[in-house]
Amino acid sequence: NDAYVRAKDLIKLEKDIAIKIQSSEYSNLTQELMMQAVKFIYDSPVTGIKYLSEKLGRSYNTTDGLMKRLIDLQILEEITGYK
């Protein structure tokens, strides 16, 4: 029962994140890249820009910009102390 509730909550979270990204002001390409980044983050929740840039096949700077946008949308939270 606990696993069912957690799975249900995770599905709701994924939908809420998708809605937040899709209703943002960013271009379709940026939204797609942000969705891809979120999927990689699900696989590796404690991650860095370098890892994500390799997974996305994008430059470090592009990926850094995506992460800043996800933080601005309150989807991600910076926890290392670096801003």
Side-chain angles (χ1 to χ4, degrees), residues 9-82:
D9 288 346
L10 186 57
I11 291 168
K12 182 182 180 326
L13 177 63
E14 288 179 22
K15 287 180 182 179
D16 290 347
I17 288 171
I19 289 168
K20 203 177 257 196
I21 289 172
Q22 291 167 353
S23 63
S24 72
E25 63 195 39
Y26 303 113
S27 70
N28 289 340
L29 175 60
T30 299
Q31 289 178 14
E32 179 60 34
L33 288 171
M34 290 182 353
M35 290 297 297
Q36 289 176 20
V38 167
K39 289 178 184 178
F40 289 126
I41 292 167
Y42 278 130
D43 293 338
S44 182
V46 179
T47 191
I49 303 298
K50 183 178 180 195
Y51 166 82
L52 287 172
S53 67
E54 290 170 2
K55 288 293 197 180
L56 293 169
R58 300 293 172 160
S59 72
Y60 183 95
N61 289 342
T62 297
T63 305
D64 185 55
L66 290 172
M67 296 305 100
K68 288 177 181 172
R69 288 177 175 98
L70 288 169
I71 291 168
D72 289 345
L73 292 173
Q74 298 179 336
I75 293 170
L76 294 182
E77 180 180 349
E78 170 64 55
I79 61 170
T80 64
Y82 299 111

